[in-house]
Amino acid sequence: MGKKKVAVLISGFGGNLQALIDACAVPGFPAEIAGVISNKAEAYGLTRAKNHNIPSFVVSHKDFKTRDEFDAELHKKLTGFGAEIVCLAGFMRLLTPEFVNKWQGRMINIHPSLLPAFKGGNAVEDALAAGAKKTGCSVHYVIPEMDSGEVITQREVEISAGDNLESLSQKIHTQEHIAYPAALKIVCGKL
Ligand code: GAR
């Protein structure tokens, strides 16, 4: 069976993108990265894509009047890549239900908590503020409701007394970079 073509959507640093690039470089891994899209021109992840000769595009939400128009352009780019699976990797835009439904079962996201705990954009801060003893990361299918689709895999992180936002984020990132390739492999196996 051929490798599944994956598109990765990013907004920033691209640590998870790099983990996916590295996993795809391992012989026998069932996916290849066909393209990267960022909604931010300054995202360092775009440099990572270029370093590995992966086609990349900026689709800035600021260039579109409505979410529908933005998502339509994303969809056009994704089909242009021949994408079969979409990985959201630190992509910080809400997507319309219409767009999400088009990719049902084929779009996944990584989130820095053990879902359903700590949904939303401040998951690491929220876990610290709640005094939780553990948190982690989840890779899940994307459905229209934010951070709510079926979980594919999770990895735990202990929160120590001395942890702050930076140290805890670092611990979570380390686990994310293991979890995301593992989840992608599982999804490939189901398609
Ligand atoms: C990751 O920690 C990811 O879980 C988080 O953004 C970071 C992106 O890092 N995503 C969310 O918070 C989504 N709600 P990266 O750009 O280095 O991959």
Side-chain angles (χ1 to χ4, degrees), residues 60-115:
S60 172
H61 52 278
K62 292 179 187 157
D63 293 341
F64 299 87
K65 281 200 220 74
T66 65
R67 284 188 187 272
D68 281 332
E69 288 171 46
F70 173 71
D71 287 2
E73 180 61 22
L74 279 186
H75 190 71
K76 201 168 133 192
K77 288 275 185 293
L78 293 173
T79 49
F81 290 147
E84 298 165 279
I85 298 171
V86 178
C87 291
L88 307 184
F91 183 70
M92 297 303 193
R93 293 293 296 173
L94 282 179
L95 297 162
T96 59
E98 291 73 20
F99 176 87
V100 170
N101 287 334
K102 278 185 196 150
W103 291 93
Q104 191 188 359
R106 296 185 294 137
M107 182 155 65
I108 63 179
N109 179 47
I110 188 151
H111 182 78
S113 77
L114 298 173
L115 291 171

CSV table of all heavy atoms in Angstrom, one decimal, residues 60-115:
chain,number,residue,atom,x,y,z
A,60,SER,N,-3.5,33.6,4.7
A,60,SER,CA,-3.7,34.5,5.8
A,60,SER,C,-5.2,34.8,6.0
A,60,SER,O,-5.9,35.2,5.0
A,60,SER,CB,-3.0,35.8,5.7
A,60,SER,OG,-3.4,36.7,6.7
A,61,HIS,N,-5.7,34.5,7.2
A,61,HIS,CA,-7.1,34.8,7.4
A,61,HIS,C,-7.5,36.3,7.2
A,61,HIS,O,-8.6,36.6,6.9
A,61,HIS,CB,-7.5,34.4,8.8
A,61,HIS,CG,-6.6,34.9,9.9
A,61,HIS,ND1,-5.4,34.4,10.2
A,61,HIS,CD2,-6.8,36.0,10.7
A,61,HIS,CE1,-4.9,35.1,11.2
A,61,HIS,NE2,-5.7,36.1,11.5
A,62,LYS,N,-6.4,37.1,7.3
A,62,LYS,CA,-6.7,38.6,7.1
A,62,LYS,C,-7.0,38.9,5.7
A,62,LYS,O,-7.5,40.0,5.4
A,62,LYS,CB,-5.4,39.3,7.6
A,62,LYS,CG,-5.2,39.2,9.1
A,62,LYS,CD,-3.9,40.0,9.5
A,62,LYS,CE,-3.6,39.8,10.9
A,62,LYS,NZ,-2.2,40.0,11.2
A,63,ASP,N,-6.7,38.0,4.8
A,63,ASP,CA,-7.0,38.3,3.4
A,63,ASP,C,-8.4,37.9,2.9
A,63,ASP,O,-8.8,38.1,1.8
A,63,ASP,CB,-6.0,37.5,2.5
A,63,ASP,CG,-4.6,38.1,2.6
A,63,ASP,OD1,-4.4,39.2,3.1
A,63,ASP,OD2,-3.7,37.3,2.3
A,64,PHE,N,-9.2,37.4,3.9
A,64,PHE,CA,-10.6,37.0,3.5
A,64,PHE,C,-11.6,37.7,4.4
A,64,PHE,O,-11.4,37.9,5.6
A,64,PHE,CB,-10.6,35.4,3.7
A,64,PHE,CG,-9.7,34.7,2.8
A,64,PHE,CD1,-8.4,34.5,3.2
A,64,PHE,CD2,-10.0,34.3,1.5
A,64,PHE,CE1,-7.4,33.9,2.4
A,64,PHE,CE2,-9.1,33.7,0.7
A,64,PHE,CZ,-7.8,33.5,1.1
A,65,LYS,N,-12.7,38.0,3.8
A,65,LYS,CA,-13.8,38.7,4.5
A,65,LYS,C,-14.5,37.8,5.5
A,65,LYS,O,-14.9,38.2,6.5
A,65,LYS,CB,-14.8,39.3,3.5
A,65,LYS,CG,-14.3,40.6,2.8
A,65,LYS,CD,-15.5,41.3,2.2
A,65,LYS,CE,-15.2,41.9,0.9
A,65,LYS,NZ,-15.2,41.0,-0.3
A,66,THR,N,-14.6,36.6,5.1
A,66,THR,CA,-15.4,35.7,6.0
A,66,THR,C,-14.7,34.4,6.2
A,66,THR,O,-13.7,34.0,5.5
A,66,THR,CB,-16.8,35.3,5.3
A,66,THR,OG1,-16.5,34.5,4.1
A,66,THR,CG2,-17.6,36.5,4.9
A,67,ARG,N,-15.1,33.7,7.3
A,67,ARG,CA,-14.5,32.4,7.6
A,67,ARG,C,-14.7,31.4,6.4
A,67,ARG,O,-13.9,30.5,6.1
A,67,ARG,CB,-15.1,31.8,8.9
A,67,ARG,CG,-14.5,32.5,10.1
A,67,ARG,CD,-14.9,31.8,11.4
A,67,ARG,NE,-14.5,32.5,12.5
A,67,ARG,CZ,-13.4,32.4,13.2
A,67,ARG,NH1,-12.5,31.5,12.7
A,67,ARG,NH2,-13.0,33.1,14.2
A,68,ASP,N,-15.9,31.5,5.8
A,68,ASP,CA,-16.3,30.6,4.7
A,68,ASP,C,-15.3,30.7,3.6
A,68,ASP,O,-14.8,29.8,3.0
A,68,ASP,CB,-17.7,30.9,4.2
A,68,ASP,CG,-18.7,30.3,5.1
A,68,ASP,OD1,-18.4,29.2,5.7
A,68,ASP,OD2,-19.8,30.8,5.2
A,69,GLU,N,-14.9,32.0,3.3
A,69,GLU,CA,-14.0,32.2,2.1
A,69,GLU,C,-12.6,31.7,2.5
A,69,GLU,O,-11.9,31.1,1.7
A,69,GLU,CB,-13.9,33.7,1.8
A,69,GLU,CG,-15.2,34.2,1.1
A,69,GLU,CD,-15.2,35.7,1.0
A,69,GLU,OE1,-14.2,36.3,0.6
A,69,GLU,OE2,-16.3,36.3,1.3
A,70,PHE,N,-12.2,32.0,3.7
A,70,PHE,CA,-10.9,31.5,4.2
A,70,PHE,C,-10.8,29.9,4.1
A,70,PHE,O,-9.9,29.4,3.5
A,70,PHE,CB,-10.6,31.9,5.6
A,70,PHE,CG,-9.4,31.4,6.3
A,70,PHE,CD1,-8.1,31.8,5.9
A,70,PHE,CD2,-9.5,30.4,7.3
A,70,PHE,CE1,-7.0,31.2,6.5
A,70,PHE,CE2,-8.4,29.9,8.0
A,70,PHE,CZ,-7.1,30.3,7.6
A,71,ASP,N,-11.8,29.3,4.6
A,71,ASP,CA,-11.9,27.8,4.6
A,71,ASP,C,-11.9,27.3,3.2
A,71,ASP,O,-11.4,26.2,2.9
A,71,ASP,CB,-13.1,27.3,5.4
A,71,ASP,CG,-12.8,27.5,6.9
A,71,ASP,OD1,-11.8,28.1,7.3
A,71,ASP,OD2,-13.7,27.1,7.7
A,72,ALA,N,-12.6,28.0,2.3
A,72,ALA,CA,-12.7,27.5,0.9
A,72,ALA,C,-11.3,27.5,0.3
A,72,ALA,O,-11.0,26.6,-0.5
A,72,ALA,CB,-13.7,28.4,0.1
A,73,GLU,N,-10.6,28.6,0.6
A,73,GLU,CA,-9.2,28.6,0.1
A,73,GLU,C,-8.3,27.5,0.7
A,73,GLU,O,-7.5,26.9,0.0
A,73,GLU,CB,-8.6,30.0,0.3
A,73,GLU,CG,-7.2,30.2,-0.2
A,73,GLU,CD,-7.0,30.1,-1.7
A,73,GLU,OE1,-8.0,30.2,-2.4
A,73,GLU,OE2,-5.9,29.8,-2.1
A,74,LEU,N,-8.5,27.3,2.0
A,74,LEU,CA,-7.7,26.2,2.6
A,74,LEU,C,-8.1,24.8,1.9
A,74,LEU,O,-7.2,24.1,1.5
A,74,LEU,CB,-8.2,26.0,4.1
A,74,LEU,CG,-7.6,26.9,5.1
A,74,LEU,CD1,-8.0,26.4,6.5
A,74,LEU,CD2,-6.0,26.9,5.1
A,75,HIS,N,-9.4,24.6,1.7
A,75,HIS,CA,-9.8,23.4,1.0
A,75,HIS,C,-9.2,23.2,-0.4
A,75,HIS,O,-8.8,22.1,-0.7
A,75,HIS,CB,-11.3,23.3,1.0
A,75,HIS,CG,-11.9,22.0,0.6
A,75,HIS,ND1,-11.8,20.9,1.4
A,75,HIS,CD2,-12.4,21.6,-0.6
A,75,HIS,CE1,-12.3,19.9,0.8
A,75,HIS,NE2,-12.7,20.2,-0.4
A,76,LYS,N,-9.2,24.3,-1.1
A,76,LYS,CA,-8.6,24.3,-2.4
A,76,LYS,C,-7.1,23.9,-2.4
A,76,LYS,O,-6.7,23.1,-3.2
A,76,LYS,CB,-8.8,25.7,-3.0
A,76,LYS,CG,-8.7,25.8,-4.5
A,76,LYS,CD,-9.1,27.2,-5.0
A,76,LYS,CE,-8.2,27.7,-6.0
A,76,LYS,NZ,-8.4,29.1,-6.3
A,77,LYS,N,-6.4,24.5,-1.4
A,77,LYS,CA,-5.0,24.2,-1.3
A,77,LYS,C,-4.8,22.7,-0.9
A,77,LYS,O,-3.9,22.0,-1.4
A,77,LYS,CB,-4.3,25.1,-0.3
A,77,LYS,CG,-4.1,26.5,-0.7
A,77,LYS,CD,-2.8,26.7,-1.5
A,77,LYS,CE,-2.6,28.1,-1.8
A,77,LYS,NZ,-3.5,28.8,-2.8
A,78,LEU,N,-5.6,22.2,0.0
A,78,LEU,CA,-5.5,20.9,0.5
A,78,LEU,C,-5.7,19.9,-0.6
A,78,LEU,O,-5.0,18.9,-0.8
A,78,LEU,CB,-6.5,20.6,1.7
A,78,LEU,CG,-6.2,21.4,2.9
A,78,LEU,CD1,-7.3,21.2,3.9
A,78,LEU,CD2,-4.8,20.9,3.5
A,79,THR,N,-6.8,20.1,-1.4
A,79,THR,CA,-7.0,19.2,-2.5
A,79,THR,C,-5.9,19.3,-3.6
A,79,THR,O,-5.6,18.3,-4.2
A,79,THR,CB,-8.4,19.5,-3.1
A,79,THR,OG1,-8.6,20.9,-3.4
A,79,THR,CG2,-9.5,19.0,-2.2
A,80,GLY,N,-5.4,20.5,-3.7
A,80,GLY,CA,-4.2,20.7,-4.6
A,80,GLY,C,-3.0,19.9,-4.2
A,80,GLY,O,-2.3,19.3,-5.1
A,81,PHE,N,-2.8,19.7,-2.9
A,81,PHE,CA,-1.8,18.8,-2.4
A,81,PHE,C,-2.1,17.3,-2.6
A,81,PHE,O,-1.3,16.5,-2.5
A,81,PHE,CB,-1.6,19.0,-0.9
A,81,PHE,CG,-1.0,20.3,-0.5
A,81,PHE,CD1,-1.3,20.8,0.7
A,81,PHE,CD2,0.0,20.9,-1.2
A,81,PHE,CE1,-0.8,22.0,1.2
A,81,PHE,CE2,0.6,22.1,-0.8
A,81,PHE,CZ,0.2,22.6,0.4
A,82,GLY,N,-3.4,17.0,-2.9
A,82,GLY,CA,-3.8,15.7,-3.0
A,82,GLY,C,-3.9,15.1,-1.6
A,82,GLY,O,-3.8,13.9,-1.3
A,83,ALA,N,-4.2,16.0,-0.6
A,83,ALA,CA,-4.2,15.5,0.8
A,83,ALA,C,-5.3,14.5,1.1
A,83,ALA,O,-6.4,14.7,0.7
A,83,ALA,CB,-4.3,16.7,1.8
A,84,GLU,N,-4.9,13.4,1.8
A,84,GLU,CA,-5.9,12.4,2.3
A,84,GLU,C,-6.2,12.6,3.8
A,84,GLU,O,-7.2,12.2,4.2
A,84,GLU,CB,-5.3,11.0,2.0
A,84,GLU,CG,-5.1,10.8,0.5
A,84,GLU,CD,-4.3,9.5,0.3
A,84,GLU,OE1,-3.0,9.7,0.4
A,84,GLU,OE2,-4.8,8.5,0.0
A,85,ILE,N,-5.2,13.2,4.5
A,85,ILE,CA,-5.3,13.4,5.9
A,85,ILE,C,-4.8,14.8,6.2
A,85,ILE,O,-3.8,15.2,5.6
A,85,ILE,CB,-4.5,12.4,6.7
A,85,ILE,CG1,-4.9,10.9,6.4
A,85,ILE,CG2,-4.5,12.7,8.2
A,85,ILE,CD1,-4.0,9.9,7.0
A,86,VAL,N,-5.5,15.5,7.1
A,86,VAL,CA,-5.1,16.8,7.5
A,86,VAL,C,-4.7,16.8,9.0
A,86,VAL,O,-5.5,16.3,9.8
A,86,VAL,CB,-6.2,17.9,7.3
A,86,VAL,CG1,-5.8,19.3,7.8
A,86,VAL,CG2,-6.6,17.9,5.8
A,87,CYS,N,-3.5,17.2,9.3
A,87,CYS,CA,-3.1,17.3,10.7
A,87,CYS,C,-3.0,18.8,11.1
A,87,CYS,O,-2.3,19.6,10.5
A,87,CYS,CB,-1.6,16.7,10.8
A,87,CYS,SG,-1.6,15.0,10.6
A,88,LEU,N,-3.8,19.1,12.1
A,88,LEU,CA,-3.7,20.5,12.7
A,88,LEU,C,-2.6,20.4,13.8
A,88,LEU,O,-2.7,19.6,14.7
A,88,LEU,CB,-5.0,20.9,13.3
A,88,LEU,CG,-6.3,20.8,12.4
A,88,LEU,CD1,-7.5,21.4,13.2
A,88,LEU,CD2,-6.1,21.6,11.1
A,89,ALA,N,-1.6,21.3,13.6
A,89,ALA,CA,-0.4,21.2,14.5
A,89,ALA,C,-0.1,22.6,15.0
A,89,ALA,O,0.7,23.3,14.4
A,89,ALA,CB,0.8,20.6,13.8
A,90,GLY,N,-0.8,23.0,16.1
A,90,GLY,CA,-0.7,24.4,16.6
A,90,GLY,C,-1.3,25.4,15.6
A,90,GLY,O,-0.9,26.5,15.5
A,91,PHE,N,-2.4,24.9,14.9
A,91,PHE,CA,-3.1,25.8,14.0
A,91,PHE,C,-4.2,26.5,14.8
A,91,PHE,O,-5.1,25.9,15.4
A,91,PHE,CB,-3.7,25.0,12.9
A,91,PHE,CG,-4.5,25.8,11.9
A,91,PHE,CD1,-3.8,26.6,11.0
A,91,PHE,CD2,-5.9,25.7,11.8
A,91,PHE,CE1,-4.5,27.4,10.1
A,91,PHE,CE2,-6.5,26.5,10.8
A,91,PHE,CZ,-5.8,27.3,10.0
A,92,MET,N,-4.0,27.8,15.0
A,92,MET,CA,-4.8,28.5,16.0
A,92,MET,C,-6.0,29.3,15.4
A,92,MET,O,-6.3,30.5,15.7
A,92,MET,CB,-4.0,29.5,16.8
A,92,MET,CG,-2.9,28.8,17.6
A,92,MET,SD,-3.6,27.6,18.7
A,92,MET,CE,-2.2,27.2,19.8
A,93,ARG,N,-6.7,28.6,14.5
A,93,ARG,CA,-7.9,29.2,13.9
A,93,ARG,C,-9.1,28.2,14.0
A,93,ARG,O,-8.9,27.0,13.9
A,93,ARG,CB,-7.8,29.5,12.4
A,93,ARG,CG,-6.8,30.5,12.0
A,93,ARG,CD,-7.2,31.9,12.4
A,93,ARG,NE,-8.4,32.5,11.8
A,93,ARG,CZ,-8.9,33.6,12.2
A,93,ARG,NH1,-8.4,34.3,13.2
A,93,ARG,NH2,-10.0,34.0,11.6
A,94,LEU,N,-10.2,28.8,14.4
A,94,LEU,CA,-11.4,27.9,14.4
A,94,LEU,C,-11.9,27.7,12.9
A,94,LEU,O,-11.8,28.6,12.1
A,94,LEU,CB,-12.6,28.6,15.2
A,94,LEU,CG,-12.4,28.5,16.7
A,94,LEU,CD1,-13.6,29.3,17.3
A,94,LEU,CD2,-12.4,27.1,17.2
A,95,LEU,N,-12.3,26.5,12.6
A,95,LEU,CA,-12.7,26.2,11.3
A,95,LEU,C,-14.2,26.0,11.2
A,95,LEU,O,-14.9,25.6,12.2
A,95,LEU,CB,-12.1,24.8,10.9
A,95,LEU,CG,-10.5,25.0,10.8
A,95,LEU,CD1,-9.9,23.6,10.8
A,95,LEU,CD2,-10.1,25.7,9.6
A,96,THR,N,-14.8,26.4,10.1
A,96,THR,CA,-16.3,26.3,10.0
A,96,THR,C,-16.8,24.8,10.0
A,96,THR,O,-16.0,23.9,9.5
A,96,THR,CB,-16.8,26.9,8.7
A,96,THR,OG1,-16.2,26.2,7.6
A,96,THR,CG2,-16.5,28.4,8.6
A,97,PRO,N,-18.0,24.6,10.5
A,97,PRO,CA,-18.5,23.2,10.5
A,97,PRO,C,-18.5,22.6,9.1
A,97,PRO,O,-18.3,21.4,8.9
A,97,PRO,CB,-19.9,23.4,11.1
A,97,PRO,CG,-19.9,24.6,11.9
A,97,PRO,CD,-18.9,25.5,11.2
A,98,GLU,N,-18.8,23.4,8.1
A,98,GLU,CA,-18.9,22.9,6.7
A,98,GLU,C,-17.5,22.4,6.3
A,98,GLU,O,-17.4,21.3,5.7
A,98,GLU,CB,-19.3,24.1,5.8
A,98,GLU,CG,-20.7,24.6,5.9
A,98,GLU,CD,-20.9,25.4,7.2
A,98,GLU,OE1,-20.0,25.9,7.7
A,98,GLU,OE2,-22.1,25.5,7.6
A,99,PHE,N,-16.5,23.1,6.6
A,99,PHE,CA,-15.1,22.7,6.3
A,99,PHE,C,-14.8,21.4,7.1
A,99,PHE,O,-14.3,20.4,6.5
A,99,PHE,CB,-14.1,23.8,6.6
A,99,PHE,CG,-12.7,23.4,6.4
A,99,PHE,CD1,-12.1,23.5,5.1
A,99,PHE,CD2,-11.9,22.9,7.4
A,99,PHE,CE1,-10.8,23.2,4.9
A,99,PHE,CE2,-10.6,22.5,7.2
A,99,PHE,CZ,-10.0,22.7,5.9
A,100,VAL,N,-15.0,21.4,8.4
A,100,VAL,CA,-14.7,20.3,9.2
A,100,VAL,C,-15.4,19.0,8.7
A,100,VAL,O,-14.8,17.9,8.7
A,100,VAL,CB,-15.1,20.6,10.7
A,100,VAL,CG1,-15.0,19.3,11.6
A,100,VAL,CG2,-14.2,21.7,11.3
A,101,ASN,N,-16.7,19.2,8.4
A,101,ASN,CA,-17.4,18.0,7.9
A,101,ASN,C,-16.9,17.4,6.6
A,101,ASN,O,-17.0,16.2,6.4
A,101,ASN,CB,-18.9,18.4,7.8
A,101,ASN,CG,-19.6,18.5,9.2
A,101,ASN,OD1,-19.1,18.0,10.1
A,101,ASN,ND2,-20.6,19.4,9.2
A,102,LYS,N,-16.3,18.3,5.8
A,102,LYS,CA,-15.7,17.7,4.5
A,102,LYS,C,-14.6,16.8,4.8
A,102,LYS,O,-14.3,15.9,4.0
A,102,LYS,CB,-15.2,18.9,3.7
A,102,LYS,CG,-16.2,19.6,2.9
A,102,LYS,CD,-15.5,20.6,2.0
A,102,LYS,CE,-16.6,21.6,1.5
A,102,LYS,NZ,-16.0,23.0,1.2
A,103,TRP,N,-13.9,17.0,6.0
A,103,TRP,CA,-12.7,16.2,6.3
A,103,TRP,C,-13.0,15.2,7.4
A,103,TRP,O,-12.1,14.7,8.1
A,103,TRP,CB,-11.5,17.1,6.6
A,103,TRP,CG,-11.1,17.8,5.4
A,103,TRP,CD1,-11.5,19.1,5.0
A,103,TRP,CD2,-10.2,17.4,4.4
A,103,TRP,NE1,-10.9,19.4,3.8
A,103,TRP,CE2,-10.0,18.4,3.5
A,103,TRP,CE3,-9.4,16.2,4.3
A,103,TRP,CZ2,-9.2,18.2,2.4
A,103,TRP,CZ3,-8.6,16.1,3.2
A,103,TRP,CH2,-8.5,17.1,2.2
A,104,GLN,N,-14.3,14.9,7.7
A,104,GLN,CA,-14.6,14.0,8.8
A,104,GLN,C,-13.9,12.7,8.7
A,104,GLN,O,-13.8,12.0,7.7
A,104,GLN,CB,-16.1,13.8,8.7
A,104,GLN,CG,-16.7,13.1,9.9
A,104,GLN,CD,-18.1,12.7,9.8
A,104,GLN,OE1,-18.7,12.9,8.7
A,104,GLN,NE2,-18.7,12.1,10.8
A,105,GLY,N,-13.3,12.4,9.9
A,105,GLY,CA,-12.5,11.1,9.9
A,105,GLY,C,-11.1,11.2,9.3
A,105,GLY,O,-10.4,10.2,9.4
A,106,ARG,N,-10.8,12.3,8.7
A,106,ARG,CA,-9.5,12.5,8.1
A,106,ARG,C,-8.8,13.7,8.5
A,106,ARG,O,-7.7,14.1,8.0
A,106,ARG,CB,-9.7,12.5,6.6
A,106,ARG,CG,-10.3,11.2,6.0
A,106,ARG,CD,-10.4,11.2,4.5
A,106,ARG,NE,-11.3,12.1,4.0
A,106,ARG,CZ,-11.2,12.9,3.0
A,106,ARG,NH1,-10.0,12.9,2.3
A,106,ARG,NH2,-12.1,13.7,2.6
A,107,MET,N,-9.3,14.4,9.5
A,107,MET,CA,-8.6,15.6,10.1
A,107,MET,C,-8.4,15.4,11.6
A,107,MET,O,-9.4,15.1,12.3
A,107,MET,CB,-9.4,16.9,9.8
A,107,MET,CG,-8.7,18.1,10.3
A,107,MET,SD,-9.2,19.6,9.4
A,107,MET,CE,-10.9,19.7,9.9
A,108,ILE,N,-7.2,15.6,12.0
A,108,ILE,CA,-6.9,15.3,13.4
A,108,ILE,C,-6.1,16.6,14.0
A,108,ILE,O,-5.5,17.4,13.3
A,108,ILE,CB,-6.0,14.0,13.6
A,108,ILE,CG1,-4.7,14.1,12.9
A,108,ILE,CG2,-6.9,12.8,13.1
A,108,ILE,CD1,-3.8,12.8,13.1
A,109,ASN,N,-6.2,16.7,15.3
A,109,ASN,CA,-5.6,17.8,16.0
A,109,ASN,C,-4.8,17.4,17.2
A,109,ASN,O,-5.2,16.4,17.9
A,109,ASN,CB,-6.7,18.8,16.4
A,109,ASN,CG,-6.2,20.0,17.2
A,109,ASN,OD1,-5.3,20.7,16.7
A,109,ASN,ND2,-6.8,20.3,18.3
A,110,ILE,N,-3.8,18.1,17.6
A,110,ILE,CA,-3.1,17.9,18.9
A,110,ILE,C,-3.4,19.0,19.9
A,110,ILE,O,-3.5,20.2,19.5
A,110,ILE,CB,-1.6,17.7,18.7
A,110,ILE,CG1,-1.0,17.2,20.0
A,110,ILE,CG2,-0.9,18.9,18.2
A,110,ILE,CD1,0.2,16.3,19.9
A,111,HIS,N,-3.7,18.6,21.1
A,111,HIS,CA,-4.1,19.5,22.1
A,111,HIS,C,-3.3,19.3,23.4
A,111,HIS,O,-3.2,18.1,23.8
A,111,HIS,CB,-5.6,19.4,22.4
A,111,HIS,CG,-6.1,20.4,23.4
A,111,HIS,ND1,-6.4,21.7,23.0
A,111,HIS,CD2,-6.4,20.2,24.7
A,111,HIS,CE1,-6.8,22.3,24.1
A,111,HIS,NE2,-6.8,21.5,25.1
A,112,PRO,N,-2.9,20.3,24.1
A,112,PRO,CA,-2.0,20.1,25.2
A,112,PRO,C,-2.7,19.9,26.5
A,112,PRO,O,-2.5,20.6,27.5
A,112,PRO,CB,-1.2,21.4,25.2
A,112,PRO,CG,-2.1,22.5,24.7
A,112,PRO,CD,-2.9,21.8,23.7
A,113,SER,N,-3.6,18.9,26.6
A,113,SER,CA,-4.2,18.4,27.8
A,113,SER,C,-4.7,17.0,27.6
A,113,SER,O,-4.7,16.5,26.5
A,113,SER,CB,-5.3,19.3,28.2
A,113,SER,OG,-6.5,19.0,27.5
A,114,LEU,N,-5.1,16.4,28.7
A,114,LEU,CA,-5.7,15.1,28.6
A,114,LEU,C,-7.2,15.4,28.5
A,114,LEU,O,-8.0,15.5,29.4
A,114,LEU,CB,-5.5,14.3,29.9
A,114,LEU,CG,-4.0,14.0,30.2
A,114,LEU,CD1,-3.8,13.3,31.6
A,114,LEU,CD2,-3.4,13.1,29.1
A,115,LEU,N,-7.6,15.5,27.2
A,115,LEU,CA,-9.1,15.8,26.9
A,115,LEU,C,-9.9,14.7,27.5
A,115,LEU,O,-9.5,13.5,27.5
A,115,LEU,CB,-9.3,15.9,25.4
A,115,LEU,CG,-8.7,17.2,24.8
A,115,LEU,CD1,-8.8,17.1,23.3
A,115,LEU,CD2,-9.4,18.4,25.3
